[in-house]
Short mmCIF file of all heavy atoms in Angstrom, two decimals:
data_model
loop_
_atom_site.label_atom_id
_atom_site.label_comp_id
_atom_site.label_asym_id
_atom_site.label_seq_id
_atom_site.Cartn_x
_atom_site.Cartn_y
_atom_site.Cartn_z
N MET H 1 0.85 -1.17 0.00
CA MET H 1 0.00 0.00 0.00
C MET H 1 0.89 1.24 0.00
O MET H 1 1.74 1.40 0.86
CB MET H 1 -0.90 -0.01 1.24
CG MET H 1 -1.80 1.19 1.34
SD MET H 1 -2.84 1.13 2.80
CE MET H 1 -4.40 1.05 2.03
N ASN H 2 0.70 2.10 -0.96
CA ASN H 2 1.49 3.32 -1.01
C ASN H 2 0.66 4.51 -0.51
O ASN H 2 -0.51 4.37 -0.16
CB ASN H 2 2.04 3.57 -2.42
CG ASN H 2 0.93 3.73 -3.45
OD1 ASN H 2 -0.18 4.08 -3.12
ND2 ASN H 2 1.27 3.46 -4.70
N ILE H 3 1.24 5.69 -0.50
CA ILE H 3 0.59 6.87 0.06
C ILE H 3 -0.62 7.29 -0.75
O ILE H 3 -1.62 7.77 -0.20
CB ILE H 3 1.60 8.04 0.22
CG1 ILE H 3 1.02 9.17 1.09
CG2 ILE H 3 2.00 8.59 -1.11
CD1 ILE H 3 0.91 8.82 2.52
N ASP H 4 -0.58 7.09 -2.08
CA ASP H 4 -1.73 7.45 -2.92
C ASP H 4 -2.95 6.59 -2.59
O ASP H 4 -4.08 7.08 -2.56
CB ASP H 4 -1.39 7.32 -4.41
CG ASP H 4 -0.38 8.36 -4.85
OD1 ASP H 4 -0.37 9.46 -4.25
OD2 ASP H 4 0.39 8.08 -5.79
N ASP H 5 -2.72 5.30 -2.33
CA ASP H 5 -3.82 4.42 -1.95
C ASP H 5 -4.41 4.83 -0.60
O ASP H 5 -5.63 4.81 -0.42
CB ASP H 5 -3.35 2.97 -1.87
CG ASP H 5 -2.96 2.40 -3.21
OD1 ASP H 5 -3.44 2.91 -4.24
OD2 ASP H 5 -2.17 1.43 -3.22
N LEU H 6 -3.56 5.22 0.32
CA LEU H 6 -4.02 5.66 1.63
C LEU H 6 -4.85 6.93 1.53
O LEU H 6 -5.93 7.02 2.12
CB LEU H 6 -2.82 5.89 2.57
CG LEU H 6 -3.17 6.38 3.96
CD1 LEU H 6 -3.96 5.33 4.72
CD2 LEU H 6 -1.91 6.75 4.71
N VAL H 7 -4.39 7.90 0.77
CA VAL H 7 -5.14 9.16 0.60
C VAL H 7 -6.47 8.89 -0.09
O VAL H 7 -7.50 9.44 0.32
CB VAL H 7 -4.28 10.19 -0.18
CG1 VAL H 7 -5.13 11.39 -0.58
CG2 VAL H 7 -3.10 10.63 0.65
N THR H 8 -6.49 8.04 -1.08
CA THR H 8 -7.73 7.69 -1.77
C THR H 8 -8.71 7.04 -0.81
O THR H 8 -9.89 7.37 -0.80
CB THR H 8 -7.44 6.75 -2.96
OG1 THR H 8 -6.53 7.39 -3.83
CG2 THR H 8 -8.72 6.41 -3.69
N ARG H 9 -8.21 6.16 0.03
CA ARG H 9 -9.09 5.48 1.00
C ARG H 9 -9.64 6.46 2.04
O ARG H 9 -10.80 6.39 2.41
CB ARG H 9 -8.33 4.37 1.69
CG ARG H 9 -9.20 3.62 2.66
CD ARG H 9 -8.47 2.48 3.31
NE ARG H 9 -9.33 1.96 4.36
CZ ARG H 9 -9.39 0.71 4.69
NH1 ARG H 9 -8.64 -0.16 4.06
NH2 ARG H 9 -10.18 0.31 5.65
N LEU H 10 -8.83 7.39 2.49
CA LEU H 10 -9.28 8.37 3.48
C LEU H 10 -10.27 9.36 2.90
O LEU H 10 -11.10 9.90 3.62
CB LEU H 10 -8.09 9.11 4.08
CG LEU H 10 -7.20 8.30 5.01
CD1 LEU H 10 -5.99 9.13 5.42
CD2 LEU H 10 -7.96 7.84 6.24
N LYS H 11 -10.22 9.61 1.60
CA LYS H 11 -11.15 10.55 0.96
C LYS H 11 -12.54 9.95 0.76
O LYS H 11 -13.52 10.67 0.66
CB LYS H 11 -10.61 11.00 -0.39
CG LYS H 11 -9.52 12.02 -0.28
CD LYS H 11 -9.10 12.49 -1.66
CE LYS H 11 -8.00 13.53 -1.58
NZ LYS H 11 -7.60 13.99 -2.90
N ARG H 12 -12.62 8.63 0.66
CA ARG H 12 -13.91 7.97 0.43
C ARG H 12 -14.83 8.15 1.63
O ARG H 12 -14.39 7.97 2.77
CB ARG H 12 -13.72 6.49 0.17
CG ARG H 12 -13.38 6.19 -1.27
CD ARG H 12 -13.38 4.72 -1.51
NE ARG H 12 -11.99 4.27 -1.34
CZ ARG H 12 -11.63 3.07 -0.99
NH1 ARG H 12 -12.51 2.15 -0.75
NH2 ARG H 12 -10.36 2.76 -0.86
N PRO H 13 -16.08 8.49 1.41
CA PRO H 13 -17.00 8.67 2.54
C PRO H 13 -17.48 7.37 3.17
O PRO H 13 -18.26 7.39 4.12
CB PRO H 13 -18.16 9.44 1.92
CG PRO H 13 -18.13 9.11 0.48
CD PRO H 13 -16.67 8.85 0.15
N ARG H 14 -17.01 6.24 2.65
CA ARG H 14 -17.41 4.96 3.23
C ARG H 14 -16.97 4.86 4.67
O ARG H 14 -15.94 5.40 5.06
CB ARG H 14 -16.77 3.84 2.42
CG ARG H 14 -17.56 2.55 2.50
CD ARG H 14 -17.02 1.53 1.54
NE ARG H 14 -16.45 0.48 2.37
CZ ARG H 14 -15.35 -0.17 2.10
NH1 ARG H 14 -14.66 0.10 1.03
NH2 ARG H 14 -14.92 -1.11 2.90
N ARG H 15 -17.75 4.19 5.47
CA ARG H 15 -17.48 4.09 6.91
C ARG H 15 -16.19 3.35 7.20
O ARG H 15 -15.88 2.35 6.59
CB ARG H 15 -18.62 3.35 7.59
CG ARG H 15 -19.93 4.04 7.39
CD ARG H 15 -21.00 3.28 8.05
NE ARG H 15 -21.40 4.14 9.18
CZ ARG H 15 -22.15 3.76 10.16
NH1 ARG H 15 -22.61 2.55 10.22
NH2 ARG H 15 -22.47 4.59 11.12
N MET H 16 -15.46 3.88 8.17
CA MET H 16 -14.29 3.21 8.72
C MET H 16 -14.54 3.18 10.22
O MET H 16 -14.95 4.18 10.80
CB MET H 16 -13.02 4.00 8.43
CG MET H 16 -12.70 4.11 6.97
SD MET H 16 -11.34 5.24 6.70
CE MET H 16 -9.98 4.13 6.66
N VAL H 17 -14.32 2.09 10.85
CA VAL H 17 -14.61 1.86 12.27
C VAL H 17 -16.10 2.13 12.47
O VAL H 17 -16.92 1.37 12.01
CB VAL H 17 -13.70 2.70 13.19
CG1 VAL H 17 -13.94 2.32 14.63
CG2 VAL H 17 -12.25 2.53 12.84
N CYS H 18 -16.50 3.21 13.12
CA CYS H 18 -17.93 3.45 13.29
C CYS H 18 -18.41 4.65 12.47
O CYS H 18 -19.54 5.08 12.63
CB CYS H 18 -18.30 3.60 14.77
SG CYS H 18 -17.48 4.94 15.60
N GLY H 19 -17.59 5.21 11.62
CA GLY H 19 -18.04 6.22 10.68
C GLY H 19 -18.24 7.62 11.22
O GLY H 19 -18.86 8.45 10.57
N VAL H 20 -17.74 7.92 12.39
CA VAL H 20 -17.95 9.24 12.99
C VAL H 20 -17.30 10.33 12.16
O VAL H 20 -17.90 11.38 11.93
CB VAL H 20 -17.44 9.28 14.44
CG1 VAL H 20 -17.50 10.68 15.00
CG2 VAL H 20 -18.25 8.35 15.30
N ALA H 21 -16.10 10.11 11.69
CA ALA H 21 -15.42 11.14 10.89
C ALA H 21 -16.19 11.41 9.60
O ALA H 21 -16.36 12.57 9.22
CB ALA H 21 -13.99 10.71 10.58
N ALA H 22 -16.66 10.37 8.94
CA ALA H 22 -17.43 10.56 7.70
C ALA H 22 -18.75 11.26 7.98
O ALA H 22 -19.17 12.14 7.23
CB ALA H 22 -17.67 9.21 7.03
N MET H 23 -19.43 10.90 9.08
CA MET H 23 -20.69 11.56 9.43
C MET H 23 -20.46 13.02 9.79
O MET H 23 -21.25 13.89 9.42
CB MET H 23 -21.38 10.84 10.58
CG MET H 23 -22.02 9.53 10.19
SD MET H 23 -23.05 8.82 11.49
CE MET H 23 -21.84 8.37 12.71
N THR H 24 -19.39 13.31 10.52
CA THR H 24 -19.07 14.68 10.90
C THR H 24 -18.76 15.51 9.66
O THR H 24 -19.22 16.64 9.53
CB THR H 24 -17.88 14.72 11.88
OG1 THR H 24 -18.15 13.89 12.98
CG2 THR H 24 -17.62 16.13 12.37
N ALA H 25 -17.98 14.96 8.76
CA ALA H 25 -17.64 15.67 7.52
C ALA H 25 -18.90 15.95 6.70
O ALA H 25 -19.06 17.05 6.17
CB ALA H 25 -16.64 14.86 6.71
N ASP H 26 -19.78 14.98 6.63
CA ASP H 26 -21.01 15.15 5.86
C ASP H 26 -21.93 16.18 6.52
O ASP H 26 -22.51 17.02 5.86
CB ASP H 26 -21.72 13.80 5.73
CG ASP H 26 -22.93 13.90 4.84
OD1 ASP H 26 -22.80 14.45 3.72
OD2 ASP H 26 -24.00 13.43 5.25
N LYS H 27 -22.05 16.11 7.83
CA LYS H 27 -22.95 17.02 8.57
C LYS H 27 -22.55 18.47 8.40
O LYS H 27 -23.38 19.33 8.21
CB LYS H 27 -22.93 16.64 10.06
CG LYS H 27 -23.62 17.60 10.97
CD LYS H 27 -25.03 17.17 11.21
CE LYS H 27 -25.65 18.09 12.24
NZ LYS H 27 -26.91 18.57 11.79
N PHE H 28 -21.25 18.76 8.49
CA PHE H 28 -20.77 20.13 8.42
C PHE H 28 -20.16 20.50 7.08
O PHE H 28 -19.58 21.56 6.92
CB PHE H 28 -19.75 20.38 9.54
CG PHE H 28 -20.35 20.22 10.91
CD1 PHE H 28 -20.06 19.11 11.69
CD2 PHE H 28 -21.21 21.16 11.42
CE1 PHE H 28 -20.61 18.96 12.95
CE2 PHE H 28 -21.78 21.02 12.67
CZ PHE H 28 -21.47 19.92 13.43
N ASP H 29 -20.30 19.60 6.08
CA ASP H 29 -19.80 19.82 4.72
C ASP H 29 -18.29 20.08 4.71
O ASP H 29 -17.81 21.01 4.09
CB ASP H 29 -20.57 20.96 4.05
CG ASP H 29 -20.41 20.93 2.54
OD1 ASP H 29 -20.22 19.84 1.98
OD2 ASP H 29 -20.48 22.01 1.92
N TRP H 30 -17.55 19.24 5.43
CA TRP H 30 -16.10 19.32 5.51
C TRP H 30 -15.49 18.23 4.64
O TRP H 30 -16.17 17.29 4.22
CB TRP H 30 -15.60 19.13 6.93
CG TRP H 30 -16.01 20.18 7.91
CD1 TRP H 30 -16.40 21.45 7.62
CD2 TRP H 30 -16.06 20.05 9.32
NE1 TRP H 30 -16.69 22.12 8.78
CE2 TRP H 30 -16.49 21.30 9.84
CE3 TRP H 30 -15.78 19.03 10.21
CZ2 TRP H 30 -16.64 21.53 11.19
CZ3 TRP H 30 -15.93 19.26 11.56
CH2 TRP H 30 -16.35 20.50 12.04
N SER H 31 -14.21 18.32 4.40
CA SER H 31 -13.48 17.29 3.67
C SER H 31 -13.36 16.03 4.53
O SER H 31 -12.94 16.10 5.69
CB SER H 31 -12.09 17.80 3.31
OG SER H 31 -11.25 16.74 2.92
N CYS H 32 -13.72 14.91 3.96
CA CYS H 32 -13.65 13.64 4.70
C CYS H 32 -12.20 13.30 5.04
O CYS H 32 -11.92 12.82 6.14
CB CYS H 32 -14.28 12.54 3.87
SG CYS H 32 -14.70 11.07 4.81
N LEU H 33 -11.28 13.58 4.13
CA LEU H 33 -9.86 13.31 4.36
C LEU H 33 -9.35 14.07 5.58
O LEU H 33 -8.79 13.47 6.51
CB LEU H 33 -9.03 13.69 3.13
CG LEU H 33 -7.52 13.71 3.33
CD1 LEU H 33 -6.99 12.29 3.55
CD2 LEU H 33 -6.83 14.36 2.16
N TRP H 34 -9.57 15.38 5.62
CA TRP H 34 -9.03 16.19 6.71
C TRP H 34 -9.75 15.93 8.02
O TRP H 34 -9.15 16.03 9.09
CB TRP H 34 -9.02 17.66 6.33
CG TRP H 34 -8.01 17.91 5.28
CD1 TRP H 34 -8.24 18.26 3.99
CD2 TRP H 34 -6.59 17.75 5.40
NE1 TRP H 34 -7.05 18.35 3.30
CE2 TRP H 34 -6.03 18.04 4.14
CE3 TRP H 34 -5.74 17.40 6.44
CZ2 TRP H 34 -4.65 17.98 3.91
CZ3 TRP H 34 -4.38 17.35 6.20
CH2 TRP H 34 -3.85 17.64 4.95
N THR H 35 -11.02 15.60 7.97
CA THR H 35 -11.74 15.26 9.19
C THR H 35 -11.14 14.00 9.81
O THR H 35 -10.94 13.93 11.03
CB THR H 35 -13.24 15.06 8.91
OG1 THR H 35 -13.73 16.22 8.25
CG2 THR H 35 -14.01 14.84 10.18
N ARG H 36 -10.84 13.01 8.98
CA ARG H 36 -10.23 11.78 9.48
C ARG H 36 -8.82 12.03 10.01
O ARG H 36 -8.42 11.44 11.02
CB ARG H 36 -10.21 10.73 8.39
CG ARG H 36 -11.57 10.14 8.15
CD ARG H 36 -11.58 9.09 7.10
NE ARG H 36 -12.89 8.44 7.06
CZ ARG H 36 -13.40 7.93 5.98
NH1 ARG H 36 -12.73 7.94 4.85
NH2 ARG H 36 -14.58 7.36 6.01
N VAL H 37 -8.06 12.90 9.35
CA VAL H 37 -6.71 13.21 9.81
C VAL H 37 -6.77 13.90 11.18
O VAL H 37 -6.02 13.56 12.09
CB VAL H 37 -5.97 14.09 8.77
CG1 VAL H 37 -4.69 14.66 9.34
CG2 VAL H 37 -5.69 13.29 7.52
N VAL H 38 -7.70 14.85 11.34
CA VAL H 38 -7.84 15.56 12.61
C VAL H 38 -8.26 14.58 13.72
O VAL H 38 -7.74 14.64 14.83
CB VAL H 38 -8.83 16.73 12.49
CG1 VAL H 38 -9.21 17.28 13.85
CG2 VAL H 38 -8.23 17.82 11.62
N TRP H 39 -9.20 13.68 13.42
CA TRP H 39 -9.61 12.69 14.43
C TRP H 39 -8.44 11.81 14.82
O TRP H 39 -8.26 11.48 15.99
CB TRP H 39 -10.76 11.83 13.91
CG TRP H 39 -12.10 12.41 14.21
CD1 TRP H 39 -13.01 12.86 13.31
CD2 TRP H 39 -12.69 12.61 15.50
NE1 TRP H 39 -14.11 13.34 13.98
CE2 TRP H 39 -13.94 13.19 15.32
CE3 TRP H 39 -12.25 12.35 16.80
CZ2 TRP H 39 -14.78 13.52 16.38
CZ3 TRP H 39 -13.08 12.68 17.85
CH2 TRP H 39 -14.32 13.25 17.63
N ALA H 40 -7.65 11.37 13.85
CA ALA H 40 -6.50 10.52 14.16
C ALA H 40 -5.49 11.26 15.04
O ALA H 40 -4.96 10.68 16.01
CB ALA H 40 -5.83 10.07 12.86
N LEU H 41 -5.26 12.52 14.75
CA LEU H 41 -4.34 13.31 15.58
C LEU H 41 -4.90 13.52 16.98
O LEU H 41 -4.16 13.43 17.97
CB LEU H 41 -4.05 14.66 14.93
CG LEU H 41 -3.17 14.62 13.68
CD1 LEU H 41 -3.10 16.01 13.04
CD2 LEU H 41 -1.79 14.12 14.03
N ALA H 42 -6.19 13.79 17.09
CA ALA H 42 -6.80 13.99 18.41
C ALA H 42 -6.69 12.72 19.25
O ALA H 42 -6.39 12.80 20.44
CB ALA H 42 -8.26 14.40 18.25
N VAL H 43 -6.94 11.58 18.65
CA VAL H 43 -6.85 10.32 19.39
C VAL H 43 -5.40 10.00 19.74
O VAL H 43 -5.12 9.50 20.83
CB VAL H 43 -7.50 9.17 18.57
CG1 VAL H 43 -7.23 7.83 19.20
CG2 VAL H 43 -9.01 9.41 18.48
N ALA H 44 -4.47 10.34 18.85
CA ALA H 44 -3.06 10.09 19.14
C ALA H 44 -2.53 11.00 20.26
O ALA H 44 -1.71 10.57 21.08
CB ALA H 44 -2.22 10.28 17.87
N MET H 45 -3.00 12.24 20.30
CA MET H 45 -2.53 13.19 21.31
C MET H 45 -3.10 12.89 22.69
O MET H 45 -2.40 13.00 23.69
CB MET H 45 -2.91 14.63 20.91
CG MET H 45 -2.33 15.07 19.60
SD MET H 45 -0.59 15.36 19.69
CE MET H 45 -0.59 17.09 20.03
N ASN H 46 -4.37 12.53 22.75
CA ASN H 46 -5.02 12.23 24.03
C ASN H 46 -5.99 11.07 23.79
O ASN H 46 -7.18 11.30 23.55
CB ASN H 46 -5.76 13.48 24.55
CG ASN H 46 -6.26 13.29 25.95
OD1 ASN H 46 -6.27 12.18 26.48
ND2 ASN H 46 -6.70 14.37 26.55
N PRO H 47 -5.50 9.84 23.86
CA PRO H 47 -6.32 8.69 23.49
C PRO H 47 -7.61 8.55 24.30
O PRO H 47 -8.67 8.29 23.73
CB PRO H 47 -5.41 7.50 23.74
CG PRO H 47 -4.04 8.04 23.74
CD PRO H 47 -4.14 9.45 24.21
N ALA H 48 -7.56 8.75 25.59
CA ALA H 48 -8.76 8.55 26.40
C ALA H 48 -9.85 9.55 26.05
O ALA H 48 -11.00 9.17 25.78
CB ALA H 48 -8.41 8.66 27.89
N MET H 49 -9.51 10.83 26.01
CA MET H 49 -10.50 11.86 25.70
C MET H 49 -10.94 11.78 24.24
O MET H 49 -12.13 11.92 23.93
CB MET H 49 -9.93 13.25 25.99
CG MET H 49 -10.96 14.36 25.82
SD MET H 49 -12.41 14.18 26.89
CE MET H 49 -11.70 14.61 28.45
N GLY H 50 -10.00 11.54 23.34
CA GLY H 50 -10.34 11.42 21.92
C GLY H 50 -11.31 10.28 21.65
O GLY H 50 -12.29 10.45 20.93
N LEU H 51 -11.05 9.13 22.24
CA LEU H 51 -11.95 7.99 22.03
C LEU H 51 -13.29 8.20 22.71
O LEU H 51 -14.33 7.80 22.18
CB LEU H 51 -11.28 6.70 22.52
CG LEU H 51 -10.10 6.24 21.65
CD1 LEU H 51 -9.42 5.05 22.29
CD2 LEU H 51 -10.58 5.89 20.25
N LEU H 52 -13.29 8.84 23.87
CA LEU H 52 -14.56 9.12 24.54
C LEU H 52 -15.43 10.03 23.68
O LEU H 52 -16.61 9.74 23.44
CB LEU H 52 -14.31 9.77 25.91
CG LEU H 52 -15.56 10.18 26.69
CD1 LEU H 52 -16.36 8.95 27.09
CD2 LEU H 52 -15.18 11.00 27.89
N VAL H 53 -14.87 11.11 23.18
CA VAL H 53 -15.62 12.04 22.32
C VAL H 53 -16.04 11.33 21.03
O VAL H 53 -17.17 11.50 20.56
CB VAL H 53 -14.78 13.29 22.02
CG1 VAL H 53 -15.42 14.15 20.95
CG2 VAL H 53 -14.57 14.10 23.29
N TYR H 54 -15.15 10.53 20.47
CA TYR H 54 -15.45 9.80 19.24
C TYR H 54 -16.68 8.90 19.40
O TYR H 54 -17.59 8.93 18.58
CB TYR H 54 -14.22 8.98 18.84
CG TYR H 54 -14.26 8.42 17.45
CD1 TYR H 54 -13.85 9.20 16.38
CD2 TYR H 54 -14.68 7.12 17.20
CE1 TYR H 54 -13.86 8.70 15.09
CE2 TYR H 54 -14.69 6.62 15.92
CZ TYR H 54 -14.28 7.40 14.87
OH TYR H 54 -14.29 6.90 13.60
N PHE H 55 -16.73 8.14 20.49
CA PHE H 55 -17.85 7.23 20.67
C PHE H 55 -19.12 7.94 21.12
O PHE H 55 -20.23 7.50 20.80
CB PHE H 55 -17.47 6.09 21.61
CG PHE H 55 -16.53 5.12 20.94
CD1 PHE H 55 -15.25 4.95 21.41
CD2 PHE H 55 -16.92 4.41 19.81
CE1 PHE H 55 -14.38 4.07 20.78
CE2 PHE H 55 -16.06 3.53 19.18
CZ PHE H 55 -14.78 3.37 19.65
N VAL H 56 -19.00 9.06 21.83
CA VAL H 56 -20.20 9.85 22.16
C VAL H 56 -20.80 10.40 20.86
O VAL H 56 -22.01 10.36 20.66
CB VAL H 56 -19.85 10.99 23.15
CG1 VAL H 56 -20.97 12.01 23.23
CG2 VAL H 56 -19.57 10.40 24.53
N LEU H 57 -19.95 10.92 19.98
CA LEU H 57 -20.46 11.40 18.69
C LEU H 57 -21.03 10.27 17.85
O LEU H 57 -21.96 10.49 17.07
CB LEU H 57 -19.35 12.13 17.93
CG LEU H 57 -19.02 13.53 18.45
CD1 LEU H 57 -17.84 14.11 17.69
CD2 LEU H 57 -20.21 14.45 18.36
N ALA H 58 -20.50 9.07 18.00
CA ALA H 58 -21.06 7.92 17.27
C ALA H 58 -22.50 7.66 17.69
O ALA H 58 -23.32 7.22 16.89
CB ALA H 58 -20.22 6.68 17.52
N LEU H 59 -22.82 7.99 18.92
CA LEU H 59 -24.20 7.82 19.41
C LEU H 59 -25.08 9.00 19.05
O LEU H 59 -26.26 8.85 18.78
CB LEU H 59 -24.20 7.61 20.92
CG LEU H 59 -23.48 6.37 21.43
CD1 LEU H 59 -23.40 6.38 22.94
CD2 LEU H 59 -24.18 5.11 20.93
N VAL H 60 -24.53 10.21 19.01
CA VAL H 60 -25.32 11.43 18.83
C VAL H 60 -25.53 11.78 17.35
O VAL H 60 -26.63 12.20 16.98
CB VAL H 60 -24.64 12.61 19.57
CG1 VAL H 60 -25.32 13.91 19.25
CG2 VAL H 60 -24.66 12.35 21.06
N LEU H 61 -24.52 11.65 16.51
CA LEU H 61 -24.62 12.08 15.12
C LEU H 61 -25.75 11.42 14.34
O LEU H 61 -26.44 12.09 13.58
CB LEU H 61 -23.29 11.91 14.39
CG LEU H 61 -22.26 13.00 14.66
CD1 LEU H 61 -20.94 12.66 13.99
CD2 LEU H 61 -22.73 14.35 14.20
N PRO H 62 -25.99 10.12 14.47
CA PRO H 62 -27.12 9.53 13.72
C PRO H 62 -28.46 10.14 14.12
O PRO H 62 -29.35 10.28 13.29
CB PRO H 62 -27.06 8.04 14.08
CG PRO H 62 -25.65 7.80 14.46
CD PRO H 62 -25.20 9.07 15.12
N LYS H 63 -28.61 10.54 15.36
CA LYS H 63 -29.86 11.18 15.79
C LYS H 63 -30.01 12.56 15.19
O LYS H 63 -31.10 12.98 14.86
CB LYS H 63 -29.91 11.25 17.32
CG LYS H 63 -30.00 9.89 17.95
CD LYS H 63 -29.99 9.96 19.44
CE LYS H 63 -29.99 8.53 20.00
NZ LYS H 63 -29.83 8.49 21.41
N TRP H 64 -28.91 13.29 15.02
CA TRP H 64 -28.96 14.60 14.36
C TRP H 64 -29.39 14.46 12.93
O TRP H 64 -30.13 15.27 12.42
CB TRP H 64 -27.61 15.28 14.41
CG TRP H 64 -27.23 15.86 15.72
CD1 TRP H 64 -28.03 16.04 16.79
CD2 TRP H 64 -25.96 16.36 16.10
NE1 TRP H 64 -27.32 16.60 17.83
CE2 TRP H 64 -26.05 16.82 17.42
CE3 TRP H 64 -24.75 16.47 15.42
CZ2 TRP H 64 -24.98 17.37 18.08
CZ3 TRP H 64 -23.67 17.02 16.10
CH2 TRP H 64 -23.80 17.47 17.41
N GLN H 65 -28.93 13.42 12.24
CA GLN H 65 -29.26 13.23 10.83
C GLN H 65 -30.74 12.92 10.65
O GLN H 65 -31.34 13.32 9.66
CB GLN H 65 -28.43 12.12 10.24
CG GLN H 65 -26.98 12.50 10.07
CD GLN H 65 -26.16 11.40 9.45
OE1 GLN H 65 -26.57 10.23 9.43
NE2 GLN H 65 -24.98 11.73 8.95
N ARG H 66 -31.36 12.22 11.56
CA ARG H 66 -32.77 11.86 11.42
C ARG H 66 -33.69 13.07 11.56
O ARG H 66 -34.74 13.11 10.99
CB ARG H 66 -33.14 10.82 12.46
CG ARG H 66 -32.60 9.47 12.14
CD ARG H 66 -33.15 8.42 13.08
NE ARG H 66 -32.09 7.45 13.28
CZ ARG H 66 -31.73 6.93 14.42
NH1 ARG H 66 -32.35 7.29 15.52
NH2 ARG H 66 -30.78 6.05 14.51
N GLU H 67 -33.27 14.07 12.35
CA GLU H 67 -34.11 15.22 12.59
C GLU H 67 -34.16 16.18 11.40
O GLU H 67 -35.06 16.97 11.28
CB GLU H 67 -33.63 15.98 13.82
CG GLU H 67 -33.82 15.20 15.10
CD GLU H 67 -33.23 15.90 16.31
OE1 GLU H 67 -32.75 17.04 16.14
OE2 GLU H 67 -33.23 15.30 17.37
N ILE H 68 -33.19 16.10 10.51
CA ILE H 68 -33.13 17.02 9.38
C ILE H 68 -34.13 16.64 8.32
O ILE H 68 -34.51 15.60 8.07
CB ILE H 68 -31.70 17.06 8.80
CG1 ILE H 68 -30.77 17.62 9.83
CG2 ILE H 68 -31.63 17.85 7.51
CD1 ILE H 68 -29.31 17.59 9.45
#
């Protein structure tokens, strides 16, 4: 796997893990690639808080989408 394959995979809106980064990017019309990069950095910098926020958003974001 080279860097081009990795960038292509990160740009795809298909779900990875629980899809929070893709849902967040879609909700706020952000780039899926950069949203995933920011999430990865947040989890790497502070794993406990990053994962807690990530899984809380995994529960909340689908409910936001249904109300629209």
Side-chain angles (χ1 to χ4, degrees):
M1 179 180 244
N2 61 24
I3 193 71
D4 292 331
D5 293 337
L6 179 65
V7 170
T8 302
R9 182 178 172 146
L10 289 175
K11 284 184 179 180
R12 276 187 266 154
R14 205 172 113 218
R15 301 179 111 193
M16 297 172 94
V17 186
C18 60
V20 173
M23 286 189 292
T24 306
D26 186 50
K27 171 94 175 131
F28 298 106
D29 199 28
W30 295 339
S31 165
C32 197
L33 169 68
W34 290 112
T35 306
R36 286 181 172 150
V37 168
V38 168
W39 271 114
L41 289 173
V43 171
M45 300 287 267
N46 189 348
M49 186 59 73
L51 290 174
L52 177 66
V53 170
Y54 193 84
F55 287 116
V56 166
L57 285 175
L59 297 173
V60 173
L61 281 175
K63 293 178 183 173
W64 284 349
Q65 288 181 343
R66 286 188 214 135
E67 293 174 5
I68 296 174

